Every structure is written in C-alpha cells, then in structure tokens.
Amino acid sequence: MGKRFEEHAKSDKKSAVLDHITTTGHNISLEDVSILAQEPRFGARKIKEALEIYKRRPSLNKDQGL
C-alpha cells in the first residue's frame, strides 16, 4: 500500500491524488488511507475495485468504476 500511495501522491503525473494535492495544497498521508478489501487474483481484484468505485463514487477517482 505504501508503494502505491507514493506513486499516486508524488510521481504519477496523471494521478487525481497528485492533482488534488497540487491544486488545493492539501496534504494526504498514509494515516488517511485504509484498505477496503484484499484479493490475490488480479482479475477479481480489479472487479472488486470497480465495484467499490461505483458504490462509493470517490471524488478523487477519475475512473467511474467500469
């Protein structure tokens, strides 16, 4: 989780998280992050992720859960 957080918050130029940080000046830390589910299989993990995005409609997520 730490690695993905660092990728999103600091280096991925297309990241909504990085865009939010630079636009608003907000600071996001790992203390603000929680794991909603775990799944070792890639395909099943992507489905779970899409369902959570669709259900929760997080404001920082550019993906619509498809």
Side-chain angles (χ1 to χ4, degrees):
M1 184 172 84
K3 182 177 183 195
R4 287 296 288 147
F5 178 78
E6 290 296 318
E7 289 171 358
H8 276 291
K10 296 192 176 171
S11 62
D12 183 356
K13 303 299 182 207
K14 297 178 184 176
S15 169
V17 175
L18 181 59
D19 183 49
H20 178 78
I21 290 169
T22 56
T23 303
T24 64
H26 291 165
N27 190 14
I28 301 172
S29 72
L30 274 176
E31 294 171 2
D32 300 325
V33 177
S34 62
I35 296 173
L36 301 176
Q38 294 183 5
E39 174 58 56
R41 298 169 299 154
F42 180 80
R45 185 170 60 247
K46 296 304 279 181
I47 291 169
K48 282 185 177 185
E49 179 182 24
L51 289 171
E52 287 296 331
I53 292 168
Y54 185 78
K55 271 192 326 192
R56 296 172 184 269
R57 303 271 187 219
S59 61
L60 289 180
N61 205 308
K62 293 177 183 178
D63 186 339
Q64 298 302 308
L66 303 173

Short mmCIF file of all heavy atoms in Angstrom, two decimals:
data_model
loop_
_atom_site.label_atom_id
_atom_site.label_comp_id
_atom_site.label_asym_id
_atom_site.label_seq_id
_atom_site.Cartn_x
_atom_site.Cartn_y
_atom_site.Cartn_z
N MET A 1 0.82 -1.17 0.00
CA MET A 1 0.00 0.00 0.00
C MET A 1 0.87 1.25 0.00
O MET A 1 0.56 2.22 -0.68
CB MET A 1 -0.93 0.01 1.21
CG MET A 1 -1.87 1.17 1.20
SD MET A 1 -3.13 1.13 2.45
CE MET A 1 -2.27 1.79 3.83
N GLY A 2 1.95 1.22 0.73
CA GLY A 2 2.84 2.37 0.79
C GLY A 2 3.41 2.74 -0.56
O GLY A 2 3.49 3.92 -0.92
N LYS A 3 3.79 1.74 -1.34
CA LYS A 3 4.36 2.00 -2.66
C LYS A 3 3.32 2.64 -3.58
O LYS A 3 3.60 3.62 -4.27
CB LYS A 3 4.90 0.71 -3.27
CG LYS A 3 5.54 0.93 -4.62
CD LYS A 3 6.13 -0.32 -5.19
CE LYS A 3 6.80 0.06 -6.50
NZ LYS A 3 7.10 -1.03 -7.33
N ARG A 4 2.11 2.09 -3.62
CA ARG A 4 1.06 2.65 -4.47
C ARG A 4 0.70 4.07 -4.04
O ARG A 4 0.48 4.95 -4.86
CB ARG A 4 -0.20 1.77 -4.44
CG ARG A 4 -0.06 0.48 -5.17
CD ARG A 4 0.15 0.67 -6.67
NE ARG A 4 -1.05 1.13 -7.32
CZ ARG A 4 -1.09 1.95 -8.37
NH1 ARG A 4 0.01 2.42 -8.88
NH2 ARG A 4 -2.22 2.30 -8.90
N PHE A 5 0.67 4.29 -2.74
CA PHE A 5 0.38 5.63 -2.24
C PHE A 5 1.44 6.62 -2.72
O PHE A 5 1.11 7.70 -3.19
CB PHE A 5 0.31 5.62 -0.71
CG PHE A 5 0.07 6.98 -0.13
CD1 PHE A 5 -1.20 7.53 -0.15
CD2 PHE A 5 1.12 7.72 0.40
CE1 PHE A 5 -1.42 8.80 0.37
CE2 PHE A 5 0.90 8.99 0.91
CZ PHE A 5 -0.37 9.52 0.90
N GLU A 6 2.70 6.24 -2.61
CA GLU A 6 3.78 7.10 -3.06
C GLU A 6 3.68 7.37 -4.56
O GLU A 6 3.90 8.49 -5.01
CB GLU A 6 5.14 6.49 -2.73
CG GLU A 6 5.47 6.49 -1.26
CD GLU A 6 5.59 7.90 -0.68
OE1 GLU A 6 6.19 8.78 -1.33
OE2 GLU A 6 5.06 8.11 0.42
N GLU A 7 3.33 6.34 -5.34
CA GLU A 7 3.18 6.52 -6.78
C GLU A 7 2.07 7.52 -7.09
O GLU A 7 2.23 8.42 -7.91
CB GLU A 7 2.86 5.18 -7.45
CG GLU A 7 4.01 4.22 -7.48
CD GLU A 7 3.60 2.83 -7.95
OE1 GLU A 7 2.41 2.59 -8.23
OE2 GLU A 7 4.49 1.98 -8.03
N HIS A 8 0.95 7.39 -6.40
CA HIS A 8 -0.19 8.27 -6.65
C HIS A 8 0.05 9.69 -6.14
O HIS A 8 -0.32 10.66 -6.79
CB HIS A 8 -1.47 7.73 -6.01
CG HIS A 8 -2.17 6.72 -6.83
ND1 HIS A 8 -2.82 7.04 -8.00
CD2 HIS A 8 -2.35 5.39 -6.65
CE1 HIS A 8 -3.36 5.95 -8.50
NE2 HIS A 8 -3.10 4.93 -7.71
N ALA A 9 0.64 9.79 -4.97
CA ALA A 9 0.75 11.10 -4.32
C ALA A 9 1.97 11.91 -4.75
O ALA A 9 1.99 13.11 -4.53
CB ALA A 9 0.77 10.91 -2.81
N LYS A 10 2.95 11.26 -5.36
CA LYS A 10 4.17 12.01 -5.63
C LYS A 10 4.70 11.95 -7.05
O LYS A 10 5.32 12.90 -7.50
CB LYS A 10 5.27 11.54 -4.67
CG LYS A 10 4.92 11.86 -3.23
CD LYS A 10 6.07 11.68 -2.31
CE LYS A 10 5.63 12.12 -0.93
NZ LYS A 10 6.55 11.83 0.09
N SER A 11 4.47 10.85 -7.76
CA SER A 11 5.17 10.74 -9.03
C SER A 11 4.29 10.51 -10.26
O SER A 11 4.71 10.84 -11.36
CB SER A 11 6.21 9.63 -8.95
OG SER A 11 5.58 8.39 -8.71
N ASP A 12 3.10 9.98 -10.10
CA ASP A 12 2.24 9.71 -11.26
C ASP A 12 1.60 11.00 -11.72
O ASP A 12 0.67 11.52 -11.10
CB ASP A 12 1.18 8.67 -10.90
CG ASP A 12 0.30 8.29 -12.07
OD1 ASP A 12 0.45 8.88 -13.16
OD2 ASP A 12 -0.55 7.40 -11.89
N LYS A 13 2.06 11.54 -12.82
CA LYS A 13 1.59 12.85 -13.31
C LYS A 13 0.11 12.84 -13.69
O LYS A 13 -0.52 13.88 -13.74
CB LYS A 13 2.43 13.30 -14.51
CG LYS A 13 3.90 13.40 -14.21
CD LYS A 13 4.18 14.41 -13.11
CE LYS A 13 5.68 14.51 -12.88
NZ LYS A 13 6.04 14.91 -11.56
N LYS A 14 -0.47 11.67 -13.93
CA LYS A 14 -1.89 11.56 -14.30
C LYS A 14 -2.77 11.30 -13.08
O LYS A 14 -3.98 11.18 -13.20
CB LYS A 14 -2.09 10.44 -15.32
CG LYS A 14 -1.39 10.68 -16.63
CD LYS A 14 -1.60 9.51 -17.56
CE LYS A 14 -0.82 9.68 -18.85
NZ LYS A 14 -0.94 8.51 -19.71
N SER A 15 -2.17 11.21 -11.90
CA SER A 15 -2.89 10.84 -10.70
C SER A 15 -3.83 11.94 -10.22
O SER A 15 -3.45 13.11 -10.09
CB SER A 15 -1.89 10.51 -9.59
OG SER A 15 -2.55 10.40 -8.35
N ALA A 16 -5.07 11.56 -9.92
CA ALA A 16 -6.03 12.51 -9.36
C ALA A 16 -5.59 12.95 -7.96
O ALA A 16 -5.85 14.07 -7.55
CB ALA A 16 -7.41 11.88 -9.30
N VAL A 17 -4.91 12.07 -7.24
CA VAL A 17 -4.41 12.40 -5.91
C VAL A 17 -3.37 13.51 -6.02
O VAL A 17 -3.45 14.52 -5.32
CB VAL A 17 -3.83 11.16 -5.19
CG1 VAL A 17 -3.21 11.55 -3.85
CG2 VAL A 17 -4.90 10.10 -4.99
N LEU A 18 -2.40 13.33 -6.90
CA LEU A 18 -1.36 14.35 -7.09
C LEU A 18 -1.99 15.65 -7.59
O LEU A 18 -1.63 16.74 -7.13
CB LEU A 18 -0.29 13.86 -8.06
CG LEU A 18 0.86 14.82 -8.32
CD1 LEU A 18 1.59 15.18 -7.03
CD2 LEU A 18 1.83 14.21 -9.33
N ASP A 19 -2.94 15.56 -8.50
CA ASP A 19 -3.61 16.74 -9.00
C ASP A 19 -4.32 17.48 -7.86
O ASP A 19 -4.25 18.70 -7.75
CB ASP A 19 -4.62 16.34 -10.09
CG ASP A 19 -5.31 17.53 -10.70
OD1 ASP A 19 -4.61 18.50 -11.07
OD2 ASP A 19 -6.55 17.50 -10.81
N HIS A 20 -4.99 16.75 -6.99
CA HIS A 20 -5.69 17.35 -5.86
C HIS A 20 -4.70 18.04 -4.91
O HIS A 20 -4.94 19.17 -4.47
CB HIS A 20 -6.48 16.28 -5.11
CG HIS A 20 -7.19 16.80 -3.90
ND1 HIS A 20 -8.36 17.51 -3.99
CD2 HIS A 20 -6.89 16.72 -2.58
CE1 HIS A 20 -8.76 17.86 -2.76
NE2 HIS A 20 -7.88 17.38 -1.90
N ILE A 21 -3.59 17.37 -4.62
CA ILE A 21 -2.58 17.94 -3.72
C ILE A 21 -2.02 19.24 -4.29
O ILE A 21 -1.93 20.25 -3.58
CB ILE A 21 -1.44 16.92 -3.47
CG1 ILE A 21 -1.97 15.76 -2.62
CG2 ILE A 21 -0.25 17.58 -2.78
CD1 ILE A 21 -1.03 14.58 -2.53
N THR A 22 -1.66 19.23 -5.58
CA THR A 22 -1.06 20.43 -6.17
C THR A 22 -2.07 21.55 -6.38
O THR A 22 -1.73 22.72 -6.26
CB THR A 22 -0.35 20.11 -7.50
OG1 THR A 22 -1.27 19.49 -8.39
CG2 THR A 22 0.83 19.19 -7.29
N THR A 23 -3.31 21.20 -6.66
CA THR A 23 -4.34 22.21 -6.89
C THR A 23 -4.81 22.87 -5.60
O THR A 23 -5.01 24.08 -5.55
CB THR A 23 -5.55 21.59 -7.62
OG1 THR A 23 -5.10 21.01 -8.83
CG2 THR A 23 -6.62 22.62 -7.92
N THR A 24 -5.01 22.07 -4.56
CA THR A 24 -5.60 22.59 -3.32
C THR A 24 -4.59 22.91 -2.24
O THR A 24 -4.90 23.63 -1.30
CB THR A 24 -6.60 21.58 -2.73
OG1 THR A 24 -5.88 20.40 -2.35
CG2 THR A 24 -7.70 21.25 -3.71
N GLY A 25 -3.40 22.30 -2.34
CA GLY A 25 -2.41 22.47 -1.27
C GLY A 25 -2.65 21.54 -0.09
O GLY A 25 -1.95 21.62 0.91
N HIS A 26 -3.65 20.67 -0.22
CA HIS A 26 -3.91 19.70 0.85
C HIS A 26 -2.76 18.70 0.93
O HIS A 26 -2.10 18.42 -0.06
CB HIS A 26 -5.20 18.93 0.59
CG HIS A 26 -6.42 19.77 0.72
ND1 HIS A 26 -7.64 19.37 0.24
CD2 HIS A 26 -6.63 20.99 1.28
CE1 HIS A 26 -8.54 20.31 0.49
NE2 HIS A 26 -7.95 21.30 1.11
N ASN A 27 -2.57 18.14 2.10
CA ASN A 27 -1.55 17.12 2.30
C ASN A 27 -2.28 15.83 2.67
O ASN A 27 -3.16 15.83 3.52
CB ASN A 27 -0.59 17.53 3.41
CG ASN A 27 0.60 16.62 3.48
OD1 ASN A 27 0.86 15.83 2.59
ND2 ASN A 27 1.34 16.72 4.56
N ILE A 28 -1.94 14.74 2.02
CA ILE A 28 -2.55 13.44 2.28
C ILE A 28 -1.46 12.51 2.79
O ILE A 28 -0.38 12.45 2.22
CB ILE A 28 -3.20 12.86 1.01
CG1 ILE A 28 -4.27 13.82 0.49
CG2 ILE A 28 -3.80 11.50 1.28
CD1 ILE A 28 -4.84 13.46 -0.86
N SER A 29 -1.74 11.78 3.87
CA SER A 29 -0.74 10.87 4.43
C SER A 29 -1.30 9.46 4.47
O SER A 29 -2.51 9.24 4.32
CB SER A 29 -0.33 11.31 5.83
OG SER A 29 -1.38 11.05 6.75
N LEU A 30 -0.42 8.50 4.71
CA LEU A 30 -0.86 7.10 4.82
C LEU A 30 -1.83 6.90 5.97
O LEU A 30 -2.60 5.95 5.97
CB LEU A 30 0.35 6.18 4.99
CG LEU A 30 1.02 5.73 3.70
CD1 LEU A 30 2.26 4.92 4.00
CD2 LEU A 30 0.08 4.93 2.83
N GLU A 31 -1.82 7.80 6.95
CA GLU A 31 -2.77 7.69 8.06
C GLU A 31 -4.20 7.93 7.59
O GLU A 31 -5.15 7.54 8.25
CB GLU A 31 -2.39 8.68 9.16
CG GLU A 31 -1.07 8.36 9.81
CD GLU A 31 -0.58 9.44 10.74
OE1 GLU A 31 -1.30 10.45 10.93
OE2 GLU A 31 0.51 9.29 11.28
N ASP A 32 -4.34 8.58 6.43
CA ASP A 32 -5.66 8.87 5.87
C ASP A 32 -6.16 7.77 4.94
O ASP A 32 -7.24 7.90 4.37
CB ASP A 32 -5.62 10.18 5.07
CG ASP A 32 -5.21 11.37 5.90
OD1 ASP A 32 -5.58 11.41 7.09
OD2 ASP A 32 -4.52 12.25 5.37
N VAL A 33 -5.38 6.71 4.77
CA VAL A 33 -5.68 5.66 3.80
C VAL A 33 -6.06 4.37 4.52
O VAL A 33 -5.48 4.04 5.55
CB VAL A 33 -4.43 5.40 2.90
CG1 VAL A 33 -4.69 4.27 1.93
CG2 VAL A 33 -4.04 6.67 2.18
N SER A 34 -7.05 3.67 3.99
CA SER A 34 -7.40 2.37 4.55
C SER A 34 -7.63 1.38 3.41
O SER A 34 -8.06 1.76 2.32
CB SER A 34 -8.65 2.46 5.43
OG SER A 34 -9.75 2.87 4.68
N ILE A 35 -7.35 0.12 3.68
CA ILE A 35 -7.58 -0.95 2.71
C ILE A 35 -9.01 -1.43 2.87
O ILE A 35 -9.42 -1.82 3.96
CB ILE A 35 -6.57 -2.11 2.93
CG1 ILE A 35 -5.15 -1.61 2.68
CG2 ILE A 35 -6.91 -3.29 2.03
CD1 ILE A 35 -4.08 -2.62 3.03
N LEU A 36 -9.77 -1.40 1.79
CA LEU A 36 -11.17 -1.79 1.85
C LEU A 36 -11.35 -3.29 1.68
O LEU A 36 -12.27 -3.88 2.23
CB LEU A 36 -11.97 -1.07 0.76
CG LEU A 36 -11.95 0.46 0.84
CD1 LEU A 36 -12.70 1.05 -0.35
CD2 LEU A 36 -12.54 0.93 2.15
N ALA A 37 -10.47 -3.92 0.88
CA ALA A 37 -10.57 -5.36 0.62
C ALA A 37 -9.23 -5.85 0.11
O ALA A 37 -8.42 -5.07 -0.37
CB ALA A 37 -11.66 -5.64 -0.41
N GLN A 38 -9.03 -7.14 0.20
CA GLN A 38 -7.82 -7.76 -0.33
C GLN A 38 -8.23 -8.89 -1.26
O GLN A 38 -9.21 -9.58 -1.00
CB GLN A 38 -6.94 -8.29 0.79
CG GLN A 38 -6.38 -7.20 1.67
CD GLN A 38 -5.44 -7.76 2.73
OE1 GLN A 38 -5.13 -8.94 2.76
NE2 GLN A 38 -5.00 -6.89 3.61
N GLU A 39 -7.47 -9.04 -2.33
CA GLU A 39 -7.76 -10.10 -3.30
C GLU A 39 -6.46 -10.42 -4.02
O GLU A 39 -5.89 -9.55 -4.68
CB GLU A 39 -8.82 -9.64 -4.29
CG GLU A 39 -9.08 -10.59 -5.42
CD GLU A 39 -9.51 -11.97 -4.95
OE1 GLU A 39 -10.49 -12.07 -4.21
OE2 GLU A 39 -8.85 -12.94 -5.34
N PRO A 40 -5.96 -11.66 -3.92
CA PRO A 40 -4.70 -12.01 -4.57
C PRO A 40 -4.79 -12.15 -6.09
O PRO A 40 -3.81 -11.93 -6.79
CB PRO A 40 -4.31 -13.34 -3.92
CG PRO A 40 -5.60 -13.92 -3.44
CD PRO A 40 -6.48 -12.75 -3.10
N ARG A 41 -5.97 -12.47 -6.61
CA ARG A 41 -6.13 -12.66 -8.06
C ARG A 41 -6.39 -11.32 -8.74
O ARG A 41 -7.31 -10.59 -8.36
CB ARG A 41 -7.27 -13.63 -8.36
CG ARG A 41 -6.99 -15.02 -7.78
CD ARG A 41 -8.21 -15.89 -7.83
NE ARG A 41 -9.26 -15.26 -7.02
CZ ARG A 41 -10.56 -15.44 -7.21
NH1 ARG A 41 -10.99 -16.23 -8.17
NH2 ARG A 41 -11.44 -14.85 -6.43
N PHE A 42 -5.58 -11.00 -9.75
CA PHE A 42 -5.64 -9.70 -10.41
C PHE A 42 -7.03 -9.38 -10.96
O PHE A 42 -7.58 -8.30 -10.69
CB PHE A 42 -4.60 -9.62 -11.53
CG PHE A 42 -4.62 -8.31 -12.26
CD1 PHE A 42 -4.00 -7.20 -11.71
CD2 PHE A 42 -5.27 -8.17 -13.47
CE1 PHE A 42 -4.02 -5.98 -12.36
CE2 PHE A 42 -5.29 -6.95 -14.13
CZ PHE A 42 -4.66 -5.85 -13.57
N GLY A 43 -7.61 -10.28 -11.72
CA GLY A 43 -8.91 -10.03 -12.33
C GLY A 43 -10.00 -9.78 -11.30
O GLY A 43 -10.78 -8.83 -11.42
N ALA A 44 -10.05 -10.62 -10.28
CA ALA A 44 -11.04 -10.45 -9.22
C ALA A 44 -10.80 -9.15 -8.44
O ALA A 44 -11.75 -8.47 -8.04
CB ALA A 44 -11.01 -11.65 -8.27
N ARG A 45 -9.54 -8.79 -8.25
CA ARG A 45 -9.20 -7.55 -7.56
C ARG A 45 -9.70 -6.33 -8.34
O ARG A 45 -10.24 -5.39 -7.78
CB ARG A 45 -7.70 -7.46 -7.32
CG ARG A 45 -7.27 -6.26 -6.49
CD ARG A 45 -5.81 -6.33 -6.06
NE ARG A 45 -4.87 -6.38 -7.17
CZ ARG A 45 -4.10 -7.43 -7.45
NH1 ARG A 45 -4.15 -8.53 -6.72
NH2 ARG A 45 -3.27 -7.38 -8.47
N LYS A 46 -9.53 -6.36 -9.67
CA LYS A 46 -9.99 -5.25 -10.50
C LYS A 46 -11.51 -5.13 -10.46
O LYS A 46 -12.06 -4.03 -10.46
CB LYS A 46 -9.50 -5.41 -11.94
CG LYS A 46 -7.99 -5.35 -12.09
CD LYS A 46 -7.38 -4.08 -11.52
CE LYS A 46 -7.50 -2.92 -12.46
NZ LYS A 46 -6.90 -1.68 -11.96
N ILE A 47 -12.20 -6.27 -10.40
CA ILE A 47 -13.67 -6.25 -10.29
C ILE A 47 -14.09 -5.65 -8.95
O ILE A 47 -14.97 -4.79 -8.89
CB ILE A 47 -14.26 -7.66 -10.49
CG1 ILE A 47 -14.06 -8.09 -11.95
CG2 ILE A 47 -15.73 -7.71 -10.07
CD1 ILE A 47 -14.37 -9.55 -12.21
N LYS A 48 -13.44 -6.08 -7.88
CA LYS A 48 -13.75 -5.53 -6.55
C LYS A 48 -13.50 -4.02 -6.53
O LYS A 48 -14.29 -3.26 -5.97
CB LYS A 48 -12.91 -6.20 -5.46
CG LYS A 48 -13.40 -7.55 -5.06
CD LYS A 48 -12.58 -8.08 -3.90
CE LYS A 48 -13.12 -9.41 -3.44
NZ LYS A 48 -12.45 -9.90 -2.24
N GLU A 49 -12.40 -3.61 -7.12
CA GLU A 49 -12.06 -2.18 -7.16
C GLU A 49 -13.13 -1.40 -7.93
O GLU A 49 -13.61 -0.36 -7.48
CB GLU A 49 -10.70 -1.97 -7.81
CG GLU A 49 -10.30 -0.52 -7.91
CD GLU A 49 -8.97 -0.32 -8.61
OE1 GLU A 49 -8.56 -1.19 -9.41
OE2 GLU A 49 -8.35 0.72 -8.36
N ALA A 50 -13.54 -1.92 -9.08
CA ALA A 50 -14.56 -1.26 -9.88
C ALA A 50 -15.88 -1.15 -9.12
O ALA A 50 -16.55 -0.11 -9.17
CB ALA A 50 -14.77 -2.00 -11.19
N LEU A 51 -16.25 -2.19 -8.40
CA LEU A 51 -17.49 -2.17 -7.63
C LEU A 51 -17.44 -1.13 -6.51
O LEU A 51 -18.41 -0.41 -6.27
CB LEU A 51 -17.80 -3.55 -7.05
CG LEU A 51 -18.24 -4.60 -8.08
CD1 LEU A 51 -18.30 -5.98 -7.43
CD2 LEU A 51 -19.56 -4.22 -8.71
N GLU A 52 -16.30 -1.03 -5.83
CA GLU A 52 -16.14 -0.04 -4.76
C GLU A 52 -16.20 1.38 -5.33
O GLU A 52 -16.81 2.26 -4.75
CB GLU A 52 -14.84 -0.25 -3.99
CG GLU A 52 -14.84 -1.45 -3.08
CD GLU A 52 -15.87 -1.35 -1.96
OE1 GLU A 52 -16.20 -0.24 -1.50
OE2 GLU A 52 -16.34 -2.41 -1.52
N ILE A 53 -15.56 1.60 -6.46
CA ILE A 53 -15.59 2.92 -7.10
C ILE A 53 -17.03 3.26 -7.48
O ILE A 53 -17.50 4.38 -7.23
CB ILE A 53 -14.67 2.96 -8.34
CG1 ILE A 53 -13.21 2.87 -7.91
CG2 ILE A 53 -14.92 4.22 -9.16
CD1 ILE A 53 -12.24 2.62 -9.06
N TYR A 54 -17.72 2.31 -8.06
CA TYR A 54 -19.10 2.53 -8.48
C TYR A 54 -20.00 2.84 -7.27
O TYR A 54 -20.83 3.75 -7.32
CB TYR A 54 -19.62 1.31 -9.24
CG TYR A 54 -21.00 1.50 -9.80
CD1 TYR A 54 -21.20 2.24 -10.96
CD2 TYR A 54 -22.10 0.95 -9.17
CE1 TYR A 54 -22.47 2.43 -11.47
CE2 TYR A 54 -23.37 1.13 -9.67
CZ TYR A 54 -23.56 1.88 -10.82
OH TYR A 54 -24.82 2.06 -11.32
N LYS A 55 -19.82 2.09 -6.17
CA LYS A 55 -20.65 2.27 -4.98
C LYS A 55 -20.35 3.58 -4.26
O LYS A 55 -21.26 4.31 -3.89
CB LYS A 55 -20.39 1.14 -3.97
CG LYS A 55 -21.24 -0.06 -4.13
CD LYS A 55 -21.17 -1.02 -2.97
CE LYS A 55 -19.84 -1.13 -2.29
NZ LYS A 55 -19.74 -2.25 -1.36
N ARG A 56 -19.08 3.87 -4.08
CA ARG A 56 -18.67 5.00 -3.23
C ARG A 56 -18.56 6.33 -3.98
O ARG A 56 -18.63 7.38 -3.36
CB ARG A 56 -17.35 4.69 -2.55
CG ARG A 56 -17.45 3.53 -1.59
CD ARG A 56 -16.07 3.13 -1.09
NE ARG A 56 -16.13 1.98 -0.24
CZ ARG A 56 -16.27 2.04 1.09
NH1 ARG A 56 -16.35 3.20 1.68
NH2 ARG A 56 -16.33 0.94 1.79
N ARG A 57 -18.33 6.28 -5.28
CA ARG A 57 -18.15 7.49 -6.10
C ARG A 57 -17.17 8.47 -5.46
O ARG A 57 -17.50 9.64 -5.21
CB ARG A 57 -19.49 8.19 -6.30
CG ARG A 57 -20.55 7.35 -6.93
CD ARG A 57 -20.49 7.45 -8.42
NE ARG A 57 -21.64 6.76 -9.00
CZ ARG A 57 -21.58 6.04 -10.07
NH1 ARG A 57 -20.45 5.92 -10.70
NH2 ARG A 57 -22.63 5.44 -10.54
N PRO A 58 -15.94 8.02 -5.16
CA PRO A 58 -14.98 8.92 -4.51
C PRO A 58 -14.64 10.10 -5.42
O PRO A 58 -14.45 9.95 -6.62
CB PRO A 58 -13.76 8.03 -4.28
CG PRO A 58 -13.89 6.92 -5.26
CD PRO A 58 -15.36 6.74 -5.49
N SER A 59 -14.56 11.28 -4.83
CA SER A 59 -14.34 12.49 -5.61
C SER A 59 -12.97 12.54 -6.27
O SER A 59 -12.82 13.19 -7.30
CB SER A 59 -14.52 13.72 -4.72
OG SER A 59 -13.59 13.71 -3.67
N LEU A 60 -11.99 11.86 -5.71
CA LEU A 60 -10.65 11.89 -6.30
C LEU A 60 -10.46 10.88 -7.41
O LEU A 60 -9.46 10.92 -8.11
CB LEU A 60 -9.57 11.64 -5.23
CG LEU A 60 -9.36 12.75 -4.24
CD1 LEU A 60 -8.28 12.36 -3.25
CD2 LEU A 60 -9.02 14.04 -4.91
N ASN A 61 -11.40 9.99 -7.59
CA ASN A 61 -11.23 8.93 -8.58
C ASN A 61 -11.77 9.35 -9.93
O ASN A 61 -12.95 9.67 -10.06
CB ASN A 61 -11.91 7.64 -8.11
CG ASN A 61 -11.29 6.43 -8.72
OD1 ASN A 61 -11.16 6.37 -9.92
ND2 ASN A 61 -10.90 5.49 -7.90
N LYS A 62 -10.92 9.35 -10.95
CA LYS A 62 -11.35 9.72 -12.30
C LYS A 62 -12.10 8.58 -12.98
O LYS A 62 -12.93 8.81 -13.85
CB LYS A 62 -10.13 10.09 -13.15
CG LYS A 62 -9.45 11.35 -12.67
CD LYS A 62 -8.22 11.64 -13.49
CE LYS A 62 -7.49 12.85 -12.96
NZ LYS A 62 -6.26 13.12 -13.71
N ASP A 63 -11.83 7.35 -12.58
CA ASP A 63 -12.49 6.16 -13.13
C ASP A 63 -13.92 6.10 -12.58
O ASP A 63 -14.17 6.42 -11.43
CB ASP A 63 -11.70 4.93 -12.68
CG ASP A 63 -12.19 3.64 -13.28
OD1 ASP A 63 -13.34 3.57 -13.74
OD2 ASP A 63 -11.41 2.68 -13.29
N GLN A 64 -14.85 5.72 -13.40
CA GLN A 64 -16.25 5.62 -12.98
C GLN A 64 -16.62 4.23 -12.47
O GLN A 64 -17.79 3.96 -12.24
CB GLN A 64 -17.16 6.02 -14.15
CG GLN A 64 -16.95 7.44 -14.60
CD GLN A 64 -17.17 8.46 -13.48
OE1 GLN A 64 -18.21 8.43 -12.83
NE2 GLN A 64 -16.21 9.31 -13.26
N GLY A 65 -15.65 3.35 -12.33
CA GLY A 65 -15.93 2.01 -11.86
C GLY A 65 -16.31 1.06 -12.96
O GLY A 65 -17.08 0.14 -12.76
N LEU A 66 -15.78 1.28 -14.16
CA LEU A 66 -16.09 0.41 -15.28
C LEU A 66 -14.90 -0.44 -15.65
O LEU A 66 -13.79 -0.05 -15.51
CB LEU A 66 -16.51 1.24 -16.49
CG LEU A 66 -17.68 2.18 -16.25
CD1 LEU A 66 -17.90 3.08 -17.45
CD2 LEU A 66 -18.94 1.40 -15.96
#
